[in-house]
Amino acid sequence: MIIDCHGHYTTVPAAHTAWRDGQLAAFGAGTATPRYPVISDDEVRESVQGQLDLMAERGIDLTVFSPRASAMAHHFGDETVSAEWTRACNDLVHRVTRLYPDKFAGVCQLPQSPGVPIGHSVGELRRCVEELGFVGCNLNPDPSGGHWTGPPLTDRSWYPLYEAMSELDVPAMVHVSASVNPSFHATGAHYLNADTTAFMQFLQADLFTDFPGLRFVIPHGGGAVPYHWGRYRGLADMLGRLEPDQGVLPNVFFDTCVYHQPGINLLFEVIGTGSILFGSETLGAVRGIDSRTGHHFDDTRRYVDALGLSEEDSAKVFEGNARRVYPRLDRALRARGL
């Protein structure tokens, strides 16, 4: 079985996006939020058909599916606006998972807002996991949208969420949203900055001593981390920390959302198959065709297949690691006899 750990609902029905525009306009005008539109099951089916076609074409059996990351936009509106938008996005993802239970497993966004205690997000996490059957969450380490006004992920202010994640036995993918800082292009800089920053924060602190079972997925191949692994090993030594493969990797995993073969080669050489989950971010950040290869940039299965992994290592990367990191997904698959 091939599980894609990194999929976003980037093709939502137009009425959903229009409602968001109306919600933000109402907030700016100080008027009531418009009523959420009626979206039919057929509209939902039509919206994900392109995703399903690509999954079939690339041999992907199931996608771990979450709301569009760039549209989380926690920096817009206030806490109430974020909560309304988050619930609408998560409910729409749930409809996809209900219509296609064999193809999609839900992961929720959280109703984060700059300066609002993360504990206020726990209720939505519980609702999505316990009522909607979601298997994890996306955690934005910078709700300010590129200004990084909050504390690091290892600060104790995050602990109420980590306590809930530990109790529910769900992981978080560390994923920022859009950037309003003109210095940081969202997908080309802000995303990768956040991936790299999160890893360094984990390296510096004792979060996993306090929460030994906590699990994070750092997407986009870990940002700059694999390329600069020697730097992080050296910093760990200078700071009196454990080597990163001992102090961080037991709890932190990378995906394969790296869109060229040399990058995938390096990721696997440095990090190893035990800490890598297959992911493609389809449909996502980079949708074009590579003029040098004639294949889509985000067809990451092609790069992994080219590594010539053993059957055992392939099974880890394509399926086993995802089932280990997302135990609720594993239980759901076992319940279906998989």
Side-chain angles (χ1 to χ4, degrees), residues 206-221:
D206 295 316
L207 177 62
F208 302 124
T209 300
D210 293 341
F211 295 96
L214 201 60
R215 300 176 303 282
F216 293 97
V217 178
I218 296 183
H220 319 116

Side-chain angles (χ1 to χ4, degrees), residues 222-247:
V225 174
Y227 188 75
H228 289 285
W229 193 247
R231 178 180 292 260
Y232 295 107
R233 291 185 62 237
L235 286 169
D237 180 64
M238 292 170 61
L239 295 170
R241 312 295 301 175
L242 291 173
E243 287 247 2
D245 59 348
Q246 300 172 31

